[in-house]
Amino acid sequence: MSAGEPMSGAAATLDRPAVPARGARRGLVARLLWSELALIGGRRRNQAGLAVLAAVPVIMAVSIKLSAEDEGGGGDLFSSITSNGLFVPLAALQVEIAMFLPLAMAMLAGDAIAGEANIGTLRYLLTVPVGRLRLLAVKYLSLCVGALWGVLTVAVTGAVIGIALFGVGPMTTLSGVQIDTASALWRLVLAIGYLSAGLAALGAVGLFISTLTEQPIAAAISVMIFTILSWILDAVPQLDWLHPWLLVHHWLAFADLLREPIFWDNLLTGLGVNALYAAVFWLAAWARFAGKDITS
Amino acid sequence: MESPFRTHPRLRWAVPVLAVVVVAGGISLGTVGASADNTLGPRTPQQLLVDVQQARLTGLSGTVVQTSDLGLPDLPGLGERSSDLMSPLTGSHTWRVWYAGPDKARLALVGTLGESDVIRNGRDVWVWSSDSKSATHYTLPADRSGPASGSTPTPAPSGGVPATPQQAAEAALAALDPTTEVTSPGTTTVAGRAAHELVLRPRQGGSLVQQVRIAVDGSQHVPLRVQVFSTRRAEPAFEVGFTSVDFAVPEDRQFTFTPPPGTTVTDKGSISSADKAAPGGTAPPKASGPGGAAGADAERPRVIGTGWASVIVADTGQALEASSSGSAGGSAPGDLDQLRGVLSGLPKVSGSWGSGRLFTGTLFSAVLTDDGRLAVGAVEPQRLYDALSSR
């Protein structure tokens, strides 16, 4: 029953699961990932969360359409919405990346380990002969897919409602240069990828927190506190030495994709910081989870 | 494979810690390594000045980061939006620069969710602001080439003085010598490129400027970075330098600007030589002349002291506490009220010269006396008081 044994505790019905052949194990991992995604997608609360994420661009687009000719107000992405429907998903992402998307990520991450432990399914999961390292990898992969899922929901809903209400055409970049529709769509795709990477890095933080507790709510709230605290620290000018190391500091750099030519400096720094957070916190999650006594 | 972790479970925590250490080490090694492979030979200040003059820059593009810590009080409304062209007075700012010869240049101030651009192509100059969705067009006079909006110094052909760059360098160094110690202590790395450093240090005491360091690219001989150090800070009080630079000539499309639909376009027409100094930002050679003539009753500003310790004393023509109707400023009453509010937050000082408000920044100090005299200099406040009493 020592903490060092990965299969110790109540879950250790088998002292050591029989190691299946390599090919069979890869199949198992894929199946585990698939069932994990089905689980995430099937949960009512997650579906409700996606509906909320999708509602924001719709509300924004409709209210701007109704109050049309009311120029100005809000950020630059907002004031451009009437000129091109593709600004709806971009403005919606700008709004939701601050709070809603991290909240969705926090919910998923809370469920990942702490949620399983809370309803007592974690020990059954550990009887699947894939090992804790792989299980953690599958859990993180599913969180990454979840991040893309959330961002795509916002962007696709926004693009559809935006094009329906405001039409689409050449897009005016922040640099005042127009780009054609195809390249504007490509920029939107890049923005989706960039913001998903940022959320996936937050997912690693969430996965680590999720291994610390058996209360999914506590884990989700902790991830939100981490996010909000990061935004607050990012807003304190006296801490400017810290800003480049904050995860959230680089998220709004997705607007650099809307310059002509694209300004890669901050985006690449952002991706680097994402990778750093993902690696460090995933390893910390592993350090915690691999040696944890699973009793529930 | 996992056996050490099995016997010592806590050892697992070493892995994420190691990841942090590796990244931190990689970053510090990266900066050290970059400066280590600097193989430039020594260069005297004179040689450096000659290099800079002989540099033939065909084109460049890059990113410039500028940070200022001038110790200015926070002015509400100044630099609120990070892409506002007035905001560089405070904080840190990123510029993108494209340059393809003196008549083709583009400068973009990168804000968080906005951008301001200045684009020059031939005689056309466009100023674009994404915040206000406005574009302003200026036309430069055809006969003379105006100042390049790029950051590259094009040596002004001043009336037939030194014939060769060598003579010009000698003349410049001779002129600087009484007040300034000019050295080239070694090399540095800017934007991943090896560069020589030229250091100017005031010989006199009393100046707030401790030194000015200029990094000159080792192969292209273009200044890559300027740092101004204050006697009050360890970090540079003002710094502007490339963080990345590419000396390939940028494509022509970087310099073409057509106002996008939905833009407020203002055509300011051709810029006459009289008001040219305003947008270009280059001060005319005889700085004291036109400024004094513009103010109606204002006394001509006087310069007291020499070199780095000079103090400019000017009469603003209106007492601090008196009401507006600006004769010299010409700013809106709202701005004036705001200015008065800021002034009242500054410490009150007095002496044999009278009394007034003192501003002490990292690179300059200023005293505005109650009777409307203004003394400014890159000096300690005591020098300002001395200058004010020596009227």
Side-chain angles (χ1 to χ4, degrees):
Chain A
M1 292 293 263
S2 85
E5 292 293 328
M7 290 298 162
S8 64
T13 44
L14 294 168
D15 189 28
R16 201 112 195 253
V19 180
R22 203 174 183 80
R25 200 161 43 179
R26 195 169 303 141
L28 255 179
V29 169
R31 251 168 55 201
L32 198 60
L33 178 63
W34 186 249
S35 77
E36 185 69 26
L37 290 177
L39 202 64
I40 290 179
R43 282 199 188 105
R44 273 294 151 80
R45 55 176 177 277
N46 292 348
Q47 293 166 354
L50 280 182
V52 172
L53 289 182
V56 172
V58 176
I59 294 171
M60 273 172 40
V62 170
S63 54
I64 289 177
K65 182 73 179 178
L66 290 180
S67 67
E69 321 316 328
D70 188 16
E71 293 278 314
D76 303 291
L77 301 182
F78 283 92
S79 54
S80 306
I81 283 178
T82 47
S83 67
N84 192 326
L86 281 183
F87 275 109
V88 173
L90 292 164
L93 285 174
Q94 183 204 329
V95 170
E96 298 206 45
I97 196 64
M99 210 55 80
F100 276 11
L101 284 169
L103 186 63
M105 202 65 227
M107 274 172 60
L108 294 188
D111 279 336
I113 305 290
E116 301 262 14
N118 191 43
I119 53 173
T121 46
L122 189 55
R123 54 182 153 168
Y124 300 113
L125 205 54
L126 289 176
T127 59
V128 180
V130 284
R132 293 193 179 192
L133 190 76
R134 282 199 171 77
L135 178 64
L136 209 57
V138 166
K139 285 285 184 187
Y140 186 52
L141 261 179
S142 67
L143 287 182
C144 293
V145 175
L148 185 64
W149 207 329
V151 175
L152 265 180
T153 304
V154 177
V156 171
T157 321
V160 169
I161 188 91
I163 292 173
L165 289 184
F166 303 105
V168 65
M171 176 188 261
T172 303
T173 57
L174 292 176
S175 309
V177 177
Q178 287 213 311
I179 54 175
D180 58 28
T181 311
S183 120
L185 273 172
W186 174 237
R187 306 273 173 115
L188 179 61
V189 169
L190 289 177
I192 292 170
Y194 180 76
L195 289 176
S196 303
L199 278 183
L202 182 68
V205 179
L207 189 68
F208 169 59
I209 295 175
S210 198
T211 59
L212 297 178
T213 171
E214 295 188 352
Q215 288 298 327
I217 307 282
I221 289 176
S222 306
V223 177
M224 272 329 280
I225 289 175
F226 175 86
T227 310
I228 296 169
L229 209 59
S230 299
W231 282 118
I232 292 174
L233 292 176
D234 194 40
V236 177
Q238 283 76 13
L239 296 175
D240 54 358
W241 54 270
L242 181 68
H243 292 171
W245 299 103
L246 293 173
L247 192 55
V248 301
H249 177 72
H250 303 279
W251 285 356
L252 285 181
F254 83 92
D256 287 355
L257 290 166
L258 303 178
R259 302 181 199 281
E260 181 58 34
I262 295 177
F263 185 44
W264 287 105
D265 295 27
N266 294 336
L267 294 164
L268 295 178
T269 317
L271 289 177
V273 171
N274 289 344
L276 176 67
Y277 267 76
V280 168
F281 280 94
W282 189 85
L283 287 171
W286 165 78
R288 165 73 183 163
F289 188 64
K292 192 186 180 190
D293 269 342
I294 305 300
T295 51
S296 54
Chain B
M1 187 179 81
E2 274 188 340
S3 55
F5 296 132
R6 209 173 287 268
T7 45
H8 302 284
R10 283 177 188 247
L11 215 58
R12 289 196 182 95
W13 290 99
V15 179
V17 172
L18 201 69
V20 173
V21 170
V22 164
V23 171
I27 288 167
S28 56
L29 264 182
T31 46
V32 171
S35 48
D37 61 67
N38 200 331
T39 52
L40 294 178
R43 215 89 178 120
T44 65
Q46 193 183 342
Q47 285 173 318
L48 278 179
L49 288 183
V50 172
D51 287 346
V52 170
Q53 286 180 82
Q54 286 180 327
R56 288 291 164 261
L57 185 65
T58 50
L60 71 76
S61 56
T63 309
V64 174
V65 172
Q66 172 238 336
T67 50
S68 336
D69 176 16
L70 299 180
L72 289 176
D74 284 334
L75 294 182
L78 181 66
E80 243 168 35
R81 308 260 347 196
S82 48
S83 62
D84 189 339
L85 280 174
M86 275 305 287
S87 63
L89 285 173
T90 54
S92 170
H93 297 275
T94 305
W95 301 78
R96 303 174 80 187
V97 180
W98 294 264
Y99 177 82
D103 61 347
K104 271 188 190 170
R106 177 176 158 202
L107 203 59
L109 175 58
V110 175
T112 309
L113 287 166
E115 181 171 318
S116 295
D117 283 59
V118 180
I119 301 141
R120 173 166 184 204
N121 194 346
R123 289 176 55 199
D124 294 316
V125 176
W126 283 98
V127 179
W128 155 261
S129 159
S130 74
D131 289 347
S132 57
K133 287 218 174 307
S134 64
T136 314
H137 181 236
Y138 300 92
T139 313
L140 295 176
D143 50 341
R144 45 181 293 194
S145 60
S149 349
S151 62
T152 350
T154 34
S158 45
V161 209
T164 65
Q166 280 80 2
Q167 285 174 357
E170 256 169 62
L173 285 174
L176 282 173
D177 192 59
T179 57
T180 314
E181 181 194 6
V182 183
T183 54
S184 53
T187 57
T188 181
T189 306
V190 180
R193 297 182 62 93
H196 295 282
E197 268 202 304
L198 190 67
V199 177
L200 312 177
R201 221 185 285 267
R203 286 192 196 276
Q204 313 143 281
S207 172
L208 285 176
V209 178
Q210 196 238 336
Q211 57 173 337
V212 178
R213 300 183 82 90
I214 302 165
V216 179
D217 188 85
S219 58
Q220 296 287 333
H221 311 306
V222 171
L224 290 181
R225 184 180 67 194
V226 176
Q227 294 170 305
V228 184
F229 287 81
S230 158
T231 51
R232 300 182 171 186
R233 293 269 201 286
E235 299 287 304
F238 178 84
E239 174 171 349
V240 54
F242 283 97
T243 54
S244 68
V245 63
D246 178 4
F247 285 99
V249 181
E251 292 172 64
D252 254 3
R253 63 189 177 91
Q254 306 298 357
F255 307 105
T256 49
F257 183 85
T258 353
T263 309
T264 326
V265 182
T266 325
D267 204 326
K268 293 278 172 124
S270 113
I271 306 174
S272 66
S273 48
D275 54 28
K276 193 167 177 177
T282 38
K286 290 179 183 104
S288 53
D297 304 327
E299 197 189 323
R300 252 180 79 131
R302 294 175 302 145
V303 178
I304 294 163
T306 54
W308 296 88
S310 332
V311 175
I312 298 169
V313 180
D315 202 333
T316 60
Q318 55 183 357
L320 178 58
E321 316 296 343
S323 66
S324 54
S325 73
S327 57
S331 48
D335 289 346
L336 211 64
D337 285 343
Q338 198 183 26
L339 185 66
R340 211 170 272 131
V342 171
L343 280 174
S344 62
L346 292 175
K348 235 176 149 58
V349 287
S350 59
S352 58
W353 46 271
S355 66
R357 301 280 183 179
L358 170 70
F359 165 74
T360 46
T362 53
L363 284 182
F364 70 95
S365 309
V367 171
L368 184 59
T369 64
D370 293 342
D371 56 356
R373 283 178 302 154
L374 178 69
V376 186
V379 291
E380 299 286 345
Q382 188 54 47
R383 299 256 174 168
L384 296 180
Y385 307 151
D386 295 349
L388 280 169
S389 45
S390 74
R391 69 180 320 185

